Amino acid sequence: MWVAVGILLAIALGCWLVAKVVSSVAHKPQTDDALSNVPGQAPTNDVAPTSQTWLSKEEADSELVRDERGTLAFRVERREGEFRFVSQESGKQPAPGNLALARLGIFYLNVRGWKNYPAARLKVGDRIDLRRELENKHDPHAIAVARPGSKHIYGYVNKGFARRLAKPLDSGREFVGVVMGRAGVTIAIMPVAVAEELDL
């Protein structure tokens, strides 16, 4: 009996090793030559590498700014079914949570806690309500996110951005919240004038 168990374990181990080798070969990054259909020609793969799509911190700090005329050096465009901030200079985009945008008063973030609430069923471009929760015992700066006209929230602005937004909201400054990503999870919050400048 122990011989049979040993043989079965050896077979299982062999199968696992073969699967591991096949998996590593299948997921090996391809070089430009491997992507090219014809030797000596440029690759035909249409998917841009991450470094060509996303702004690094340094790039964001230099490209997500106002130019010498005071105009925003980036725009909002629709990419892959979502609204994205895009640098005019490089065409790259920042990830949510980008601090270069926050320095301009644009808070680009993923809603926290959205899995704990009923789906908001929001579409890209929809406006959202921001609701201060002054009595929130977990965070005195808490800002809830809700579908306009709904009495139910569907998540919160993260604590770091909420701390920066709470005082201006409490003083009556007007902000616009816009759904940037599918299902309302990725949002952008900005002053009304900035939203108008970006045609949001």
Side-chain angles (χ1 to χ4, degrees):
M1 178 175 124
W2 290 110
V3 173
V5 169
I7 291 171
L8 289 174
L9 284 174
I11 291 171
L13 179 62
C15 290
W16 179 79
L17 286 172
V18 168
K20 201 76 164 143
V21 168
V22 169
S23 174
S24 68
V25 170
H27 292 99
K28 183 179 176 185
Q30 295 180 322
T31 63
D32 286 349
D33 293 337
L35 295 174
S36 180
N37 292 335
V38 179
Q41 285 190 353
T44 57
N45 186 358
D46 292 337
V47 178
T50 301
S51 62
Q52 291 180 6
T53 304
W54 300 97
L55 288 165
S56 68
K57 180 192 178 310
E58 294 76 21
E59 290 170 325
D61 288 343
S62 67
E63 295 180 31
L64 301 178
V65 295
R66 289 191 177 275
D67 62 21
E68 60 279 351
R69 295 182 316 259
T71 307
L72 292 172
F74 55 92
R75 64 188 179 279
V76 173
E77 67 179 47
R78 198 172 193 108
R79 287 188 175 179
E80 300 171 7
E82 299 184 338
F83 280 162
R84 305 281 173 90
F85 293 101
V86 178
S87 165
Q88 302 280 24
E89 182 179 328
S90 66
K92 295 181 182 181
Q93 59 197 30
N98 186 278
L99 295 178
L101 288 172
R103 285 191 285 276
L104 294 170
I106 301 170
F107 300 92
Y108 182 42
L109 59 118
N110 291 324
V111 174
R112 298 286 184 220
W114 61 271
K115 291 180 182 177
N116 302 321
Y117 297 95
R121 291 186 175 77
L122 293 166
K123 298 184 303 287
V124 172
D126 284 351
R127 295 289 173 104
I128 54 170
D129 281 346
L130 304 171
R131 300 183 185 161
R132 280 284 284 121
E133 291 186 351
L134 298 170
E135 304 301 319
N136 187 309
K137 62 183 178 183
H138 302 289
D139 182 7
H141 305 292
I143 301 170
V145 179
R147 182 185 189 109
S150 172
K151 61 182 180 179
H152 303 291
I153 67 168
Y154 77 92
Y156 288 87
V157 171
N158 67 50
K159 285 186 177 187
F161 284 163
R163 195 175 308 112
R164 295 172 95 167
L165 276 165
K167 197 170 189 176
L169 281 171
D170 292 345
S171 70
R173 190 162 169 209
E174 287 191 53
F175 284 84
V176 172
V178 180
V179 174
M180 301 291 280
R182 295 180 189 98
V185 175
T186 305
I187 62 172
I189 302 165
M190 63 199 80
V192 173
V194 175
E196 289 171 357
E197 189 175 352
L198 290 168
D199 293 324
L200 288 173

